[in-house]
Amino acid sequence: MVSRREIPPPEAGARLTIDLGALVANWRDLAALAAPGDCAGVVKADAYGLGIAEAVPALAEAGCATFFVALPVEARQVRAAAPEATIYVLGGFAPESAAAFDEAGARPVLGSLAEVEAWAALCHAEGARRPAAIHVDTGMNRLGLSADEVDALAARPELTESFELALVMSHLACADTPEHPLNARQVDRFTSLRARFPPTPASLANSGGTLLGPPYRLDLARPGIAVYGGRALADRPNPMRPVVRLEARILQVRTARAGERVGYGAVQTLTRDTRLAILAAGYADGYIRAAGGADGRPGASAYLGGHRAPLVGRVSMDLIAIDVTDVPEIFVKSGNYAELLGDNFTVDDLADRAGTIGYEVLTRLGGRVHRVYSGE
Ligand SMILES: *Cc1c(COP(=O)(O)O)cnc(C)c1O
């Protein structure tokens, strides 16, 4: 199980609310797009930081029968949360991890000829044709059999016959950029490579691919980020519901004069007399440090009662300063919470401001916050 240091609300500086209802509704929308194909859930990295132990049962209940993780240890967490599920491990197979695959009842995604040989040898030794997926590379050059390895494998049918080939998959490198020419090229390469195998269900689409359209969806879609409410396609409106809300407690409210500076490095000078609220959250809670403010470069925004309060100065390890001058007094009291992530300022808004992607924002959301699961 995931070990999570639970921080009781009065002691925690920040509160992370994860809306499992929105998460499930997002998955259902993606599953409707994927139909008549199936839709899996990608839950690697503790369900993108949101909690395998909570997200997986909710998805399984909604009808998600297949989960993808990166590592065998994550497969074990998924198995504990979804006893009936089919679980694929994207990171492939090494003989040392055979016991972990057994224990989790997980299937490897075999990504090289050596891994295919190792799985075939295991099945041979056990006298059981255990299921696995094969990953073929179609242009990303990360994991997956190259075209040459697919040729070599085709010349050795006894290898693929020694286990149950349950899925042939590949992964899109540029699905977040619909007009990128590599997308269509990967579909073409995948079509010709999968034809080298006996008829087998096929999977190509991550979240972006699922949104891109029918040529990408095939038999099984593998969305991750869109399930968690993140933006899958760049420069398009995001059709998914936000899933996370991060709020931080106001520790104190203070006034500083025009011309004074705020925070480490004194990188932001106040241009007016300013009311500042100091929040009990910082980069140690997963909030991205690069989203702070500086002269000539506005920072991210917080919201109080729907009113915007821009960050001022650098984000500290445990503290963030915001400008609440324009926020009605009633919302600005020590002990109140300010929203750092949510419907007003999303995970992707923060990522854009900090020069990263929503995936990184989500997977960093921290071990020091009080977690609340809602909407079950
Ligand atoms: C992480 C991952 C996914 C999910 O990608 P998203 O962009 O989060 O939808 C799908 N397939 C593979 C192989 C992955 O590594």
Side-chain angles (χ1 to χ4, degrees), residues 28-110:
R28 285 188 204 277
D29 284 355
L30 293 158
L33 286 177
D38 289 330
C39 189
V42 179
V43 294
K44 58 198 182 191
D46 202 20
Y48 289 42
L50 304 190
I52 281 178
E54 292 81 8
V56 165
L59 290 171
E61 167 92 18
C64 182
T66 303
F67 294 93
F68 286 84
V69 292
L71 300 169
V73 62
E74 297 170 339
R76 208 178 300 139
Q77 295 163 2
V78 174
R79 178 58 69 215
E84 308 294 328
T86 296
I87 305 169
Y88 284 104
V89 176
L90 291 163
F93 178 69
E96 310 85 80
S97 56
F101 276 91
D102 261 355
E103 197 188 314
R107 306 175 174 193
V109 177
L110 306 170

Side-chain angles (χ1 to χ4, degrees), residues 284-300:
D285 301 289
Y287 195 88
I288 309 276
R289 181 174 176 276
D295 289 337
R297 200 203 62 211

Side-chain angles (χ1 to χ4, degrees), residues 90-92 109 111 115 135-138 140-145 170:
L90 291 163
V109 177
E115 287 180 12
H135 187 164
V136 296
D137 179 56
T138 52
M140 190 170 187
N141 280 301
R142 200 175 62 170
L143 297 177
L145 278 73
S170 190

Side-chain angles (χ1 to χ4, degrees), residues 42 44 48 90 135 142 169 171 205-208 222-226 359:
V42 179
K44 58 198 182 191
Y48 289 42
L90 291 163
H135 187 164
R142 200 175 62 170
M169 60 165 270
H171 191 44
N206 60 352
S207 299
R222 306 188 308 269
I225 192 71
Y359 301 68

Side-chain angles (χ1 to χ4, degrees), residues 8 12 39 42 44 50 58 65 95 105 120 122 124 131 138 150 165 174 192 306 312 320-321 326 331 339:
C39 189
V42 179
K44 58 198 182 191
L50 304 190
L122 177 88
H124 196 70
T138 52
V150 172
L165 179 56
C174 306
S192 67
V312 191
I320 291 170
D326 299 327
F331 299 113
E339 186 182 284

Side-chain angles (χ1 to χ4, degrees), residues 236-249:
R236 311 264 162 125
N238 179 357
M240 313 319 291
R241 301 157 188 78
V243 171
V244 299
R245 189 165 76 240
L246 177 68
E247 299 158 290
R249 209 149 38 84

